[in-house]
Amino acid sequence: MIKTVFISGADKGLGFSLAQRFLQAGIHVFAGQYDPDSGLPGLAESFPQGLTVIPLDVTQMDSVSRAASQVAEFVPALDVLINNAGVMLETRTPLPELDLTRLPVLETLEVNTLGPLRMVQQFLPLLEKGGRKLIINISSEAGSIGNCWRESEFAYSMSKAALNMQSKILQNYLKPRGFKILALHPGWMRTDMGGTEADIHPDEAADGIFRLADRDWMPDDEIYLDYHGQPLPW
Ligand SMILES: NC(=O)c1ccc[n+]([C@@H]2O[C@H](COP(=O)([O-])OP(=O)(O)OC[C@H]3O[C@@H](n4cnc5c(N)ncnc54)[C@H](OP(=O)(O)O)[C@@H]3O)[C@@H](O)[C@H]2O)c1
């Protein structure tokens, strides 16, 4: 049974929907807040007991370690960590027109790839004491090399492919300690990142991800799945 979850990038989009979904299930949510003016305070009014808002910038090591310390002041253990915070900083510019002196590769990797690794490193002591030992990295189909159809969006796609590799390495490393790592594609969602033409509302993705988090997992089960639980090719 999940009692506690930490969600990064919970200000809006999928992170906000995830926070709402876990709160509705009676789970205590620690919500990483990047934007001090986000909608999280409104959610706190609906769930005054269940939500703790924690300032968090996943690109800053001191912010991540401070967030872990703040959570440790509230609870002795954390059941689930959801690395949701992400950025998409580029347009679909064809290769000849790409300014490779400005392509935001490192900025994207800092949030989408190194952010989750910083989080896992700093939250590991709390997760070790938790009853679920589950880490969910919000990946994307954009990180699948096997299914790749894109002809641009280099930085974002490379950051998610690297996040997938990170998830597998973490699974190898943490398997003896009873951990399960998932890298989940949430679908194409109508958020600031996904745009208004996207397929699904983030609440639908959040519900699927909640159901997957609630399942019993074996360490050798597939890692890279969509939000319905269907495996994706690496
Ligand atoms: N939307 C899609 O169709 C889609 C598809 C596949 C995968 N995904 C993945 O799903 C996740 C959520 O995406 P979304 O569509 O909900 O995006 P979104 O609406 O842009 O929300 C992203 C969240 O991450 C936060 N964030 C950005 N930089 C951060 C940092 N340095 N530290 C902490 N938080 C930070 C944002 O804060 P601010 O509010 O202040 O910007 C925001 O709360 C991402 O990992 C994304 O790559 C999305």
Side-chain angles (χ1 to χ4, degrees):
M1 194 181 128
I2 304 171
K3 286 185 271 185
T4 48
V5 61
F6 191 104
I7 302 164
S8 69
D11 313 85
K12 64 181 185 186
L14 177 60
F16 189 87
S17 293
L18 282 168
Q20 210 163 20
R21 183 65 186 86
F22 279 80
L23 284 164
Q24 283 161 355
I27 293 162
H28 193 103
V29 173
F30 293 94
Q33 183 183 41
Y34 182 59
D35 174 7
D37 298 323
S38 77
L40 280 170
L43 197 57
E45 280 168 26
S46 311
F47 298 93
Q49 304 299 324
L51 180 68
T52 307
V53 178
I54 307 273
L56 175 68
D57 178 349
V58 298
T59 68
Q60 301 302 314
M61 204 61 232
D62 58 345
S63 172
V64 173
S65 64
R66 209 176 311 122
S69 302
Q70 280 179 267
V71 173
E73 284 170 20
F74 283 96
V75 285
L78 183 68
D79 291 328
V80 183
L81 169 64
I82 304 185
N83 285 311
N84 163 77
V87 289
M88 156 63 111
L89 301 173
E90 63 203 315
T91 53
R92 289 189 180 167
T93 309
L95 182 61
E97 288 143 47
L98 262 189
D99 181 354
L100 291 175
T101 63
R102 286 165 189 262
L103 193 66
V105 174
L106 296 181
E107 296 90 323
T108 306
L109 288 170
E110 279 291 346
V111 182
N112 295 3
T113 316
L114 283 172
L117 197 55
R118 291 186 187 99
M119 291 292 291
V120 172
Q121 186 197 52
Q122 295 299 308
F123 279 82
L124 208 48
L126 278 169
L127 290 163
E128 290 250 44
K129 292 184 224 142
R132 296 277 304 175
K133 297 185 171 61
L134 178 62
I135 297 167
I136 297 179
N137 289 330
I138 301 299
S139 180
S140 169
E141 54 78 32
S144 170
I145 294 172
N147 266 0
C148 183
W149 52 268
R150 284 175 176 74
E151 297 181 358
S152 59
E153 299 179 314
F154 288 94
Y156 182 75
S157 304
M158 292 190 298
S159 77
K160 293 294 186 179
L163 178 64
N164 288 349
M165 174 58 87
Q166 181 188 129
S167 303
K168 178 65 181 171
I169 295 172
L170 283 173
Q171 183 64 74
N172 293 343
Y173 175 60
L174 293 171
K175 177 180 165 178
R177 288 142 83 170
F179 274 81
K180 178 63 192 162
I181 321 295
L182 294 173
L184 301 182
H185 167 53
W188 185 26
M189 304 173 291
R190 291 187 291 276
T191 61
D192 283 358
M193 185 187 292
T196 52
E197 301 298 309
D199 293 331
I200 58 168
H201 192 279
D203 285 354
E204 186 181 335
D207 187 57
I209 292 164
F210 172 78
R211 287 166 196 271
L212 293 176
D214 208 30
R215 264 194 211 167
D216 285 330
W217 293 94
M218 301 302 289
D220 290 330
D221 288 344
E222 298 268 5
I223 294 171
Y224 185 31
L225 310 165
D226 70 14
Y227 71 102
H228 297 297
Q230 292 303 311
L232 292 168
W234 291 112

